[in-house]
Amino acid sequence: MKINYLFILLFMASLNVFAQKVKRVEPPNWWVGMQHNKVELLVYGDEIATYTPSISSEFVNLKEIKKTDNKNYVFLTVDVSKALIGFFKIDFSKKGKDNNFSVDYELKERKKDSKLRKGFDSSDAIYLITPDRFANADPLNDIVEGMRETKIDRKDDYARHGGDIKGITAHLDYISDMGFTAIWATPVLENDMEESSYHGYAITDFYNPDPRFGTMDEYIELATKSKAKGLKFVMDQVANHIGIEHWWMHDLPSKEWINYQEEFLNGELVITNHRRTVNQDNYASEKDKNLMNEGWFVSAMPDLNQKNPLVANYLIQNSIWWVEMLDLGGIRQDTYPYPDKDFMSNWAGAIMNEYPNFSIVGEEWSLNPLLIGYWQKGQLNKDGYQSNLTSTMDFPMQHAIVNALNEAESWDTGFVKMYEGLANDFSYANPSKIMIFPDNHDMSRIFTQLNEDFVNTKMALGYILALPRIAQIYYGTEVLLNDTAKPGDHGLIRSDFPGGWHTDKINAFTGKGLSEKQQEMQLYLKKVLNYRKNSEAIHSGKTVHFAPDNGVYVLFRLLGDEVVAVILNKNEKTIELDLNKFEEIGLQGKKVKNIISKKEFIWNTSLKLNSKGITILTTKI
């Protein structure tokens, strides 16, 4: 038989041309059995809007076709409520048979009980990691050809250092053994920016990890192995903005895809005023409100227009997609007050509708408890706003702790700041679902904030881990990483974890080369975290604290037979603490144990405190 090889080559070439007509379909797949079963697909390709899409399936229905002023985009609303697992075809046609082509779209099977997944809560202690600065397990991905930033320089605090996804996976045993129960990694999605791409918050592709961090398979492996270790995996997401090099910015989907789009195209940048109180202020001008919510965060981060329904649906679906793809145990949402707040309510509501037991924490960097409380689900706001957000971040309490420990004791300074700060819990809808932390990736390290006072740092960490809160600790806190040389410098705050690179002379994973103080802090934190991991009193018990007196502040957590006592003492000299003042707790005559020293004794009428520091006692012997 004579074979016409020229015909075959031409036929294969034509198929390739048709395949290239569609450059992207996002989300790239979906799942059967979802609450969100009317999926809006962004289809991107040359002149794709000039084609007529159709779906020939008894199980999948094309409900709506939306076009914008850009012919390279079309948005298809597909009803998959009756769909089966597998692929279906989306046909694209226009006049002339040679122009017709189709795209396969996959519907996957959901993980068992995906809807019932449990998010993080007050039983969790979350380990926050900046992946570029934690550990480099794969030097081969340090520099990727075609990416805009190709430099690796560990001496430059704002360059990439080479940490990656596999670096976290390789050290899951360390994280678990320390006593943490969850991991929050700052974003690892593609950040193809000219500089400072290491931090991850200028996303240029919402559906792919940055190849310098690793592959999708490696990302899934990290999440899967974390869960197997009993570590919930929390994804850091950004709905407010994108990076200036996001692929959209080279061919914007519509005239109103980003805020101040016309100004940007005319060479003008409009930056937000950062006046976040406009979200609650009854007297705020429309000008201030608009500039706050629509102005760009910085010049390299275009502000997304969430009032555009196409943008809103895209972001909601993207978040749900990652929950399913990575089997997430939570989401942290960056710059929470900056986007359109009605969108944020809808965004969180859609996720919680899909996963009723899930958790989302939003970043509202304010020292005003009223602003923190405003964003939490269940808050009875006067304007009727319901955020659907389960958790907010306790910046007010963090600030109070630092001030209390740095100040001398008096009637209105010192421990009273912590005492009164915790009293603000009356204003929160659900205090135990708020996240407390000594520091994070955007603020000075706690050791620096406390003027490198070792004992005060111990007091801060022990107190934080006993509070009725979700706890978060930044990587390296356990070995006293600091930014004292340049306080507040982001690059220095995000220093490399010792031992994360094979050339490191100091290795915090093994203890090699650590100073005595670093070893002591690491062991202290490990003991406190591992006690906390199994303490029902700390997870969900009653909280009782007593007004500071004579340089001593005492807090109790109680549940059933378990009582945890946290005693903070600023006295340098030995004192006798009168235990009779705590009679209502009911500890008289009971045996208690110091969770650090393991020393046991009977709680009687007094307790000798030999020096400044923290004492944590438990009735669990």
Side-chain angles (χ1 to χ4, degrees):
M1 184 176 75
K2 205 169 183 181
I3 300 175
N4 190 332
Y5 289 102
L6 178 61
F7 173 79
I8 293 174
L9 286 171
L10 290 171
F11 177 73
M12 295 301 292
S14 67
L15 287 179
N16 189 48
V17 168
F18 293 144
Q20 289 177 355
K21 288 183 185 294
V22 173
K23 299 175 182 177
R24 290 176 182 264
V25 179
E26 293 179 344
N29 68 272
W30 205 246
W31 291 264
V32 296
M34 302 285 285
Q35 288 288 114
H36 190 94
N37 53 34
K38 292 179 178 57
V39 189
E40 188 167 79
L41 305 180
L42 177 156
V43 184
Y44 177 62
D46 294 337
E47 301 273 310
I48 193 66
T50 63
Y51 288 78
T52 300
S54 62
I55 298 174
S56 299
S57 169
E58 61 179 306
F59 303 110
V60 179
N61 183 20
L62 179 57
K63 298 288 290 184
E64 189 174 5
I65 301 168
K66 297 176 185 175
K67 299 180 181 181
T68 69
D69 49 276
N70 188 335
K71 292 183 179 180
N72 293 335
Y73 292 85
V74 66
F75 295 82
L76 310 178
T77 303
V78 181
D79 185 343
V80 296
S81 58
K82 299 177 182 178
L84 305 176
I85 298 165
F87 290 86
F88 65 87
K89 287 188 180 296
I90 305 173
D91 298 314
F92 292 87
S93 62
K94 68 177 180 179
K95 193 173 182 181
K97 277 196 288 186
D98 292 343
N99 290 317
N100 298 346
F101 67 97
S102 63
V103 173
D104 289 330
Y105 193 81
E106 185 179 11
L107 294 172
K108 295 177 180 284
E109 181 179 9
R110 295 183 80 181
K111 290 182 176 65
K112 184 180 178 182
D113 296 328
S114 176
K115 182 181 179 66
L116 303 178
R117 71 181 62 245
K118 188 174 182 291
F120 53 81
D121 56 29
S122 56
S123 69
D124 287 304
I126 301 172
Y127 196 53
L128 167 59
I129 296 171
T130 298
D132 181 65
R133 307 298 169 86
F134 187 63
N136 186 359
D138 186 5
L140 295 178
N141 66 19
D142 288 357
I143 297 174
V144 176
E145 188 176 349
M147 304 295 286
R148 290 178 173 83
E149 186 176 16
T150 57
K151 182 177 74 168
I152 291 289
D153 185 356
R154 292 183 66 195
K155 294 180 180 179
D156 181 348
D157 290 337
Y158 289 87
R160 297 188 76 92
H161 290 191
D164 47 39
I165 291 169
K166 289 174 75 173
I168 302 174
T169 307
H171 296 291
L172 291 177
D173 283 340
Y174 169 81
I175 297 168
S176 178
D177 290 346
M178 278 296 297
F180 293 101
T181 61
I183 295 170
W184 154 23
T186 56
V188 298
L189 299 187
E190 184 192 272
N191 266 240
D192 192 11
M193 302 288 285
E194 295 287 349
E195 59 185 10
S196 296
S197 63
Y198 77 93
H199 59 67
Y201 288 97
I203 293 170
T204 56
D205 188 329
F206 277 110
Y207 280 99
N208 286 295
D210 194 300
R212 294 162 296 185
F213 284 132
T215 66
M216 180 68 84
D217 286 343
E218 289 165 355
Y219 201 15
I220 294 170
E221 180 187 30
L222 169 59
T224 302
K225 288 188 173 181
S226 294
K227 188 173 183 178
K229 285 282 181 189
L231 297 164
K232 295 168 185 171
F233 193 72
V234 180
M235 185 178 183
D236 202 338
Q237 298 187 350
V238 188
N240 181 63
H241 53 262
I242 55 177
I244 194 74
E245 298 294 349
H246 191 289
W247 65 271
W248 284 333
M249 298 302 293
H250 303 284
D251 192 11
L252 284 161
S254 70
K255 288 181 179 177
E256 297 180 339
W257 198 259
I258 60 173
N259 288 316
Y260 292 105
Q261 183 164 317
E262 185 176 348
E263 287 82 353
F264 165 71
L265 294 174
N266 289 326
E268 180 186 352
L269 291 178
V270 181
I271 305 298
T272 178
N273 56 20
H274 297 284
R275 297 301 180 188
R276 299 185 303 276
T277 54
V278 299
N279 287 300
Q280 298 86 12
D281 187 354
N282 292 332
Y283 313 123
S285 66
E286 290 302 315
K287 178 181 178 181
D288 287 348
K289 290 179 184 178
N290 292 338
L291 188 57
M292 162 58 204
N293 296 126
E294 298 175 8
W296 291 22
F297 196 74
V298 294
S299 61
M301 295 177 177
D303 200 74
L304 291 172
N305 177 19
Q306 300 90 8
K307 292 179 181 177
N308 181 332
L310 297 175
V311 176
N313 281 338
Y314 182 96
L315 294 171
I316 288 169
Q317 290 178 165
N318 179 255
S319 292
I320 294 172
W321 189 87
W322 280 113
V323 175
E324 288 289 325
M325 183 60 68
L326 296 181
D327 199 12
L328 292 178
I331 290 172
R332 182 265 185 180
Q333 182 59 247
D334 188 54
T335 55
Y336 203 85
Y338 284 82
D340 176 70
K341 72 179 188 180
D342 291 328
F343 161 76
M344 293 310 295
S345 175
N346 294 335
W347 171 82
I351 295 169
M352 296 308 298
N353 183 53
E354 197 73 59
Y355 313 101
N357 303 316
F358 197 61
S359 300
I360 309 169
V361 60
E363 179 201 33
E364 162 62 283
W365 193 327
S366 172
L367 302 183
N368 184 342
L370 297 178
L371 299 185
I372 302 302
Y374 179 87
W375 296 106
Q376 190 179 28
K377 181 181 179 180
Q379 191 75 7
L380 299 178
N381 295 312
K382 286 188 175 181
D383 62 1
Y385 183 75
Q386 275 294 332
S387 73
N388 296 309
L389 180 70
T390 60
S391 304
T392 49
M393 291 181 162
D394 203 347
F395 284 93
M397 194 63 204
Q398 189 277 340
H399 184 70
I401 292 168
V402 170
N403 282 346
L405 291 169
N406 279 334
E407 293 174 353
E409 288 298 299
S410 73
W411 173 255
D412 58 356
T413 61
F415 283 142
V416 71
K417 297 286 182 68
M418 293 158 75
Y419 179 74
E420 293 183 349
L422 193 57
N424 285 320
D425 277 16
F426 81 91
S427 68
Y428 296 133
N430 196 335
S432 68
K433 288 192 174 182
I434 293 174
M435 184 178 289
I436 185 62
F437 49 92
D439 57 29
N440 62 28
H441 58 298
D442 286 328
M443 61 164 56
S444 276
R445 294 276 186 167
I446 188 61
F447 195 47
T448 294
Q449 291 188 56
L450 294 174
N451 304 309
E452 297 199 348
D453 187 308
F454 183 76
V455 175
N456 280 352
T457 303
K458 271 188 170 183
M459 285 200 277
L461 294 173
Y463 180 74
I464 282 170
L465 291 169
L467 290 176
R469 292 286 192 277
I470 302 158
Q472 170 251 296
I473 304 291
Y474 195 27
Y475 80 98
T477 299
E478 68 269 34
V479 290
L480 302 174
L481 289 191
N482 63 82
D483 57 303
T484 306
K486 292 185 287 183
D489 182 84
H490 281 189
L492 188 57
I493 290 166
R494 304 159 186 171
S495 293
D496 294 347
F497 190 85
W501 283 252
H502 74 278
T503 57
D504 290 353
K505 293 180 181 178
I506 299 173
N507 190 334
F509 295 117
T510 64
K512 177 185 175 184
L514 292 178
S515 69
E516 288 186 13
K517 289 297 185 185
Q518 286 178 311
Q519 291 179 42
E520 183 180 342
M521 184 62 77
Q522 189 178 46
L523 182 59
Y524 167 77
L525 198 52
K526 184 175 184 178
K527 287 181 177 180
V528 176
L529 283 164
N530 277 286
Y531 180 84
R532 186 188 196 280
K533 184 186 289 189
N534 300 299
S535 172
E536 293 297 326
I538 293 178
H539 297 171
S540 56
K542 179 182 178 182
T543 304
V544 179
H545 65 162
F546 291 77
D549 182 31
N550 191 31
V552 178
Y553 171 38
V554 183
L555 174 140
F556 295 91
R557 302 299 308 282
L558 310 92
L559 186 66
D561 293 333
E562 183 188 7
V563 178
V564 177
V566 180
I567 304 170
L568 304 175
N569 173 33
K570 283 191 183 179
N571 293 281
E572 300 285 354
K573 297 180 180 179
T574 300
I575 66 165
E576 288 284 341
L577 178 63
D578 180 6
L579 300 184
N580 291 314
K581 65 174 70 176
F582 313 118
E583 182 180 1
E584 66 186 82
I585 303 300
L587 281 177
Q588 283 78 4
K590 292 185 179 179
K591 184 182 285 187
V592 295
K593 179 175 70 175
N594 186 309
I595 71 167
I596 305 301
S597 69
K598 306 302 180 185
K599 179 182 176 182
E600 298 178 10
F601 61 92
I602 302 298
W603 182 284
N604 284 319
T605 57
S606 68
L607 175 65
K608 181 181 287 187
L609 301 177
N610 292 316
S611 61
K612 174 183 173 182
I614 181 170
T615 303
I616 307 176
L617 306 173
T618 177
T619 55
K620 285 176 70 173
I621 306 301

